[in-house]
Amino acid sequence: MTLNKAKILIVDDDIQMQRYISVVAEAEGYRFRLADDGESALQLLEQEVFDLVISDINMTGMTGVELLTFCQKNYADLAVIMVTGVDDRKTAIFTLEIGAYGYITKPFQPNELIINITNALRRRQLEMENRRHREELELRVAERTAELSRSREETILILSKAAEFRDNQTALHTNRMGSFCETLARLLELPDSLCNRLRAAAPLHDVGKIGISDNILLKPGRLTTEEFEIVKTHCKIGHRILADSTSDILQIGSVIAQTHHEKFDGSGYPYGLKGEEIPIAGRLAAVCDVFDALTSERVYKAPISISDALKIIHEDSGSHFDPAIVEIFLKHADQILEIKSHLSR
Ligand SMILES: [Fe+2]
Ligand SMILES: [Fe+2]
């Protein structure tokens, strides 16, 4: 919009003043419409797009201040100039404070009016450009933030896959762990931010297996007691790998790595934590990890049937698993199975 193509709404209950302003504005090439009071001004604003409102302060019915407030709230790109009598000086200053672009005291010279109109329109244009620029920046920041969090989650997933591959498991197991834990957390109505972090962090549960030697990890036969003791250290190793991170996802990852083999009755490892001493993230991961291991094929074993796996989860409620989580798990087993089939290819 060039400034002199601007469209002005002139609001005044004094018809002579209306005419005076409109003559000056028209002589400068501005388009204009007239309103005798606030109410008809609102109607015109609804029907047409204006760049500037020049409004009297003292009008019968809706006052100029009320009209200004309404415009501020509903028309972000609209500039408003107030026209005031000599006794309205205080009110005029007040209108500047609440967002008017200027005020003119009656009586005024045409020049004074033109200068005010030009200034108001220039300022409006600058503010509109600023706002557009700010919105563009905000959009770019939001895009970059989303990209960063995507790549952060991807990096975490790749790290977990690296650990899982060494253990003859599939990368899909890590993906499923994320989705299972997130789904259960949502069903338990845990906070949204925690649910999102669980999805990203649960794949890291076995990252500590990076620190277990291949001789043990890939041994085809049964492990000796000593060897199994070494395998168990993957919980503490995983915790050590992740614990120092300042990332909230890796922090939860370290908790899951440390506690996903704890059992509700205190018979798990590495610390023999009991009940709610085990963080909720670890209790969730325990159920999901066992269920997925039971129902997945590994080089050394065939999968067991879904119904047998659900039976085991049910039987181990309260001993291995948190009963509240098992209850939700079994009640919504259809959702878990849907993820399983979706993330099995
Ligand atoms: Fe594990
Ligand atoms: Fe696992």
Side-chain angles (χ1 to χ4, degrees):
M1 177 210 73
T2 54
L3 292 187
N4 61 1
K5 288 260 177 69
K7 192 162 159 191
I8 302 175
L9 175 59
I10 299 163
V11 192
D12 207 312
D13 51 1
D14 174 349
I15 304 300
Q16 273 194 336
M17 184 50 76
Q18 257 188 26
R19 195 165 303 145
Y20 178 62
I21 296 175
S22 63
V23 167
V24 176
E26 193 174 29
E28 287 298 309
Y30 295 114
R31 294 170 296 150
F32 66 89
R33 297 289 301 241
L34 301 173
D36 297 344
D37 50 37
E39 287 76 10
S40 31
L42 293 189
Q43 276 178 17
L44 280 168
L45 282 168
E46 236 175 68
Q47 293 157 6
E48 300 174 32
V49 178
F50 291 92
D51 304 296
L52 173 67
V53 171
I54 300 177
S55 171
D56 189 19
I57 288 188
N58 281 321
M59 296 184 290
T60 43
M62 185 181 222
T63 68
V65 175
E66 285 165 345
L67 177 61
L68 167 67
T69 311
F70 184 87
C71 291
Q72 290 281 99
K73 221 187 261 170
N74 298 285
Y75 301 98
D77 287 341
L78 189 62
V80 182
I81 295 175
M82 309 309 296
V83 177
T84 86
V86 187
D87 351 316
D88 289 336
R89 222 184 135 70
K90 264 198 188 141
T91 319
I93 291 167
F94 170 68
T95 63
L96 289 184
E97 279 164 11
I98 63 168
Y101 278 53
Y103 73 88
I104 324 171
T105 313
K106 289 187 260 192
F108 49 83
Q109 296 298 313
N111 248 357
E112 207 179 328
L113 177 63
I114 293 161
I115 289 167
N116 264 281
I117 293 176
T118 315
N119 281 343
L121 289 172
R122 280 228 175 94
R123 188 179 131 196
R124 168 181 174 268
Q125 201 163 24
L126 282 176
E127 283 181 3
M128 280 165 69
E129 278 163 15
N130 268 343
R131 190 163 45 241
R132 222 165 290 138
H133 186 61
R134 206 173 50 235
E135 282 166 4
E136 259 170 43
L137 274 181
E138 278 166 6
L139 196 71
R140 286 233 295 275
V141 168
E143 280 170 5
R144 290 301 303 271
T145 309
E147 194 182 306
L148 266 176
S149 80
R150 261 200 309 277
S151 74
R152 189 169 64 161
E153 283 195 26
E154 208 176 26
T155 311
I156 291 169
L157 215 53
I158 287 168
L159 179 62
S160 2
K161 281 178 190 170
E164 294 286 348
F165 273 131
R166 300 199 55 236
D167 194 20
N168 275 330
Q169 302 190 35
T170 72
L172 286 169
H173 169 63
T174 59
N175 290 0
R176 286 193 295 263
M177 280 298 284
S179 289
F180 286 163
C181 285
E182 181 195 8
T183 303
L184 285 185
R186 291 203 187 281
L187 291 167
L188 287 166
E189 295 179 1
L190 299 183
D192 188 52
S193 60
L194 178 59
C195 298
N196 291 334
R197 279 181 273 156
L198 281 168
R199 181 190 63 241
L204 289 166
H205 64 289
D206 271 344
V207 74
K209 285 188 176 168
I210 286 173
I212 309 294
S213 87
D214 283 357
N215 303 341
I216 297 174
L217 215 51
L218 304 176
K219 185 177 167 182
R222 257 189 111 74
L223 296 180
T224 64
T225 315
E226 295 76 39
E227 286 167 340
F228 190 55
E229 285 306 312
I230 293 174
V231 169
K232 284 175 166 182
T233 62
H234 78 276
C235 300
K236 289 185 179 174
I237 296 171
H239 176 69
R240 275 212 306 278
I241 291 174
L242 304 170
D244 291 336
S245 166
T246 52
S247 143
D248 46 3
I249 293 179
L250 296 185
Q251 275 301 318
I252 294 206
S254 78
V255 168
I256 295 176
Q258 190 174 36
T259 58
H260 69 284
H261 287 291
E262 297 288 359
K263 294 186 178 176
F264 204 71
D265 62 5
S267 66
Y269 65 89
Y271 294 110
L273 299 178
K274 222 176 187 170
E276 298 200 349
E277 285 171 4
I278 311 164
I280 182 75
R283 278 179 276 149
L284 283 166
V287 181
C288 300
D289 198 24
V290 169
F291 174 75
D292 202 58
L294 288 172
T295 52
S296 300
E297 189 177 349
R298 300 276 161 86
V299 266
Y300 50 87
K301 70 157 195 68
I304 69 165
S305 73
I306 298 288
S307 60
D308 283 349
L310 293 177
K311 220 168 108 198
I312 291 173
I313 300 287
H314 175 68
E315 283 165 5
D316 286 354
S317 172
S319 53
H320 189 159
F321 308 122
D322 178 345
I325 296 177
V326 170
E327 195 188 322
I328 286 282
F329 185 96
L330 295 175
K331 197 169 156 199
H332 299 276
D334 52 331
Q335 288 189 40
I336 300 292
L337 297 178
E338 205 183 303
I339 296 169
K340 177 93 184 165
S341 80
H342 182 66
L343 291 178
S344 287
R345 287 178 282 268

